[in-house]
Amino acid sequence: MKSNVAIRGQFLDIQQLVEQAEHIAEQVRYLKDGLLLIQDGKISWFGEWQDGQQYVTDSFHVEHYPDQLIIPGFLDTHIHYPQTEMIGAYGEQLLEWLDTYTFPTEIQFQDRDHADKIAKIFIQELLKNGTTTALVFCTVQLQSVDALFEEAEKYNMRIIAGKVMMDRFAPEALLDTAESSYHDSKALIEKWHKNGRALYAITPRFAPTSTAGQLEKAGQLKQEFPDVYVHTHLSENKNEIAWVKELYPEQKGYLDVYHHYGLTGKKSVFAHCVHLEEQEWDCMHATNSAIAFCPTSNLFLGSGLFPLKTAWQKQVKLGLGTDIGAGTSFSLLQTANEAYKVQQLQGYSLSAFEAFYHATLGSAKALDLDDKLGNFNVGKEADFVVLDLNATVLQQLRQSTTKNIEEKLFALFTLGDDRNVFATYVYGQKVYQRE
Ligand code: GUN
Ligand code: ZN
């Protein structure tokens, strides 16, 4: 097989990061007839077909997608793979939803076969939705992490994941201890962090389910392994926030609990942040921590409306997350669709280009991977998606009325989902093709 790959077609990406939403449109790069050259999994050339065709020698395997739109792979900045089977669990808000549905679902990961089965389905769902990188919660059981990384390794995917640390307020079968969570996480870091494209995240579930002793251990791990990630939940639901204040009265607020134990920073990702207070926004900015905005989850659990405009004003890094299984779709297209509605309810009209930014380069920045992923710049890893904008009769009709790429993209976000993903490439190799 030829190891060099040349992809010809219509391309769309964002050339560089911006500090204000108003500047995104200036960074949109749209090539009607473009060429992407890939060598050893990385982008070696990108530009107009006319300018690049001279470089396409016999050593290249060439694929031409004249009717599709090729974009960087989506990055999902917050998702729980063990919750794949429980999407759409009825009737509860966060704390009751955890007790009623989530913990019983996660207990099943004691069984390695179950973990393998769900990991397989999960990775397939990511790929068929055009998601090539994700920051993933596993369960408290060590083997849940092995199951996921082993499955992702088959496709050479850049997955960030970690074992849940949780030593109180959950069923006995799901509890570790401060000590055991430290040793197990450490063993997993040594096994998986930077093993191929795998990366590790220290993953305390959220402040209520960790004792101070456990958060201290999490902070110790972060000190010992400064380049691993920290991944947790923050300020999702009003009852949750009140509970944290009761459990940690000595801290100034919810985020201050994590900050106190050294868990904020440029590789820290906090899911939700729906109800942050002023000083918490300032702390997020000052520590260069990132937010995973998860609109389908925030709507499904009735958690609240995330204020995207404030994130721009406060200059806090932000990516999109599906938060499966509180979230209701693996699709970042559908996630962008719901993000638009959540912002409409607050008088802010999220543009198609801004949504696209958050789902690609913005999420890459939130995951501190913008030097490797998020657009088609030379040297980056070749993870990308080939989209079909006309996957249904209704989409064809709607797209026939659009006048430019921005309108096409907005219609795609509104009506699109996994049916629009024609093919997915990871590290230059096609790993999914729609039937
Ligand atoms: N907070 C603590 N655990 C969870 C979880 O599993 N899902 C969500 N959405 N929030 C949480
Ligand atoms: Zn979550």
Side-chain angles (χ1 to χ4, degrees):
M1 216 172 88
K2 295 180 180 180
S3 64
N4 298 337
V5 182
I7 308 283
R8 180 181 180 186
Q10 237 186 122
F11 289 86
L12 182 72
D13 75 341
I14 306 283
Q15 298 189 72
Q16 62 179 36
L17 293 162
V18 299
E19 296 205 338
Q20 293 304 332
E22 298 74 49
H23 297 300
I24 291 171
E26 299 155 25
Q27 296 303 331
V28 171
R29 174 163 53 183
Y30 173 51
L31 304 183
K32 278 204 166 125
D33 187 13
L35 175 69
L36 181 73
L37 298 183
I38 300 153
Q39 291 179 283
D40 302 322
K42 300 216 172 102
I43 296 168
S44 59
W45 196 89
F46 179 61
E48 302 284 354
W49 163 258
Q50 226 183 5
D51 302 330
Q53 57 177 311
Q54 55 179 316
Y55 306 123
V56 186
T57 56
D58 281 350
S59 68
F60 282 90
H61 167 73
V62 185
E63 293 206 57
H64 189 192
Y65 294 104
D67 304 321
Q68 284 86 4
L69 179 70
I70 305 166
I71 64 165
F74 291 124
L75 296 95
D76 186 337
T77 63
H78 179 67
I79 185 165
H80 300 249
Y81 100 83
Q83 298 173 15
T84 301
E85 65 173 279
M86 58 166 286
I87 299 168
Y90 175 77
E92 305 292 355
Q93 294 208 350
L94 177 63
L95 299 176
E96 298 73 23
W97 174 86
L98 284 171
D99 287 334
T100 312
Y101 299 111
T102 315
F103 293 149
T105 301
E106 293 190 4
I107 286 175
Q108 301 174 90
F109 285 71
Q110 286 165 338
D111 174 7
R112 173 70 199 245
D113 290 344
H114 180 77
D116 287 341
K117 175 184 143 194
I118 302 296
K120 205 177 210 33
I121 295 169
F122 173 80
I123 293 290
Q124 285 310 312
E125 283 300 316
L126 291 185
L127 295 175
K128 77 188 273 214
N129 281 282
T131 301
T132 47
T133 281
L135 173 57
V136 188
F137 257 71
C138 301
T139 67
V140 80
Q141 297 98 345
L142 220 114
Q143 57 187 7
S144 71
V145 181
D146 289 332
L148 180 70
F149 277 135
E150 284 175 24
E151 188 61 25
E153 199 173 40
K154 293 179 188 165
Y155 304 93
N156 206 3
M157 286 174 84
R158 198 172 268 297
I159 291 288
I160 315 169
K163 179 202 112 68
V164 170
M165 302 171 79
M166 174 158 71
D167 67 348
R168 63 176 173 179
F169 299 125
E172 193 63 33
L174 279 180
L175 296 182
D176 53 17
T177 65
E179 260 321 297
S180 76
S181 69
Y182 169 82
H183 288 292
D184 287 352
S185 300
K186 187 170 176 160
L188 288 166
I189 291 169
E190 284 163 352
K191 180 170 182 186
W192 287 110
H193 188 60
K194 298 193 171 165
N195 179 344
R197 296 183 84 199
L199 295 165
Y200 195 83
I202 300 164
T203 310
R205 178 169 219 117
F206 65 156
T209 50
S210 285
T211 59
Q214 184 168 59
L215 292 181
E216 202 176 309
K217 284 290 178 192
Q220 189 184 332
L221 275 172
K222 177 66 187 169
Q223 270 194 345
E224 287 173 34
F225 301 94
D227 70 339
V228 304
Y229 290 81
V230 174
H231 183 200
T232 188
H233 297 92
L234 172 64
S235 207
E236 176 177 5
N237 164 293
K238 295 227 165 119
N239 294 339
E240 169 210 21
I241 296 165
W243 194 24
V244 173
K245 287 184 176 168
E246 256 172 55
L247 292 168
Y248 286 97
E250 64 282 11
Q251 310 304 343
K252 286 197 292 273
Y254 195 161
L255 178 56
D256 197 44
V257 177
Y258 297 131
H259 187 59
H260 176 79
Y261 291 103
L263 297 172
T264 48
K266 109 170 152 133
K267 292 206 167 176
S268 296
V269 180
F270 296 97
H272 308 301
C273 300
V274 174
H275 309 284
L276 291 186
E277 292 170 17
E278 188 79 18
Q279 90 269 6
E280 295 180 308
W281 280 106
D282 295 338
C283 177
M284 289 293 290
H285 171 78
T287 58
N288 204 12
S289 303
I291 296 171
F293 168 30
C294 308
T296 75
S297 166
N298 296 159
L299 293 171
F300 184 76
L301 291 181
S303 302
L305 304 175
F306 174 78
L308 184 52
K309 244 169 97 171
T310 311
W312 282 112
Q313 281 159 1
K314 294 286 186 181
Q315 290 285 293
V316 176
K317 292 185 301 186
L318 173 135
L320 287 179
T322 60
D323 193 29
I324 293 293
T328 52
S329 173
F330 273 83
S331 172
L332 266 302
L333 298 174
Q334 271 311 295
T335 304
N337 179 26
E338 298 305 296
Y340 174 79
K341 296 171 191 171
V342 167
Q343 298 316 312
Q344 277 292 82
L345 282 164
Q346 300 172 88
Y348 180 67
S349 300
L350 176 65
S351 75
F353 288 149
E354 185 183 338
F356 180 59
Y357 177 89
H358 293 311
T360 56
L361 188 60
S363 282
K365 176 73 180 170
L367 298 180
D368 199 36
L369 289 172
D370 53 304
D371 59 332
K372 296 184 178 64
L373 297 170
N375 62 18
F376 293 118
N377 288 356
V378 170
K380 290 204 182 184
E381 298 169 352
D383 291 352
F384 57 94
V385 191
V386 182
L387 294 172
D388 169 9
L389 269 50
N390 299 290
T392 69
V393 172
L394 179 62
Q395 290 179 8
Q396 275 170 35
L397 177 68
R398 178 67 181 89
Q399 290 292 359
S400 73
T401 73
T402 56
K403 293 186 223 40
N404 54 44
I405 189 66
E406 188 170 11
E407 287 186 18
K408 283 188 191 305
L409 194 60
F410 192 68
L412 172 73
F413 283 140
T414 310
L415 295 173
D417 52 34
D418 56 331
R419 293 170 299 181
N420 296 86
V421 176
F422 187 74
T424 303
Y425 286 72
V426 169
Y427 218 58
Q429 299 294 317
K430 194 193 290 182
V431 290
Y432 169 78
Q433 169 77 63
R434 194 181 73 189
E435 280 165 20

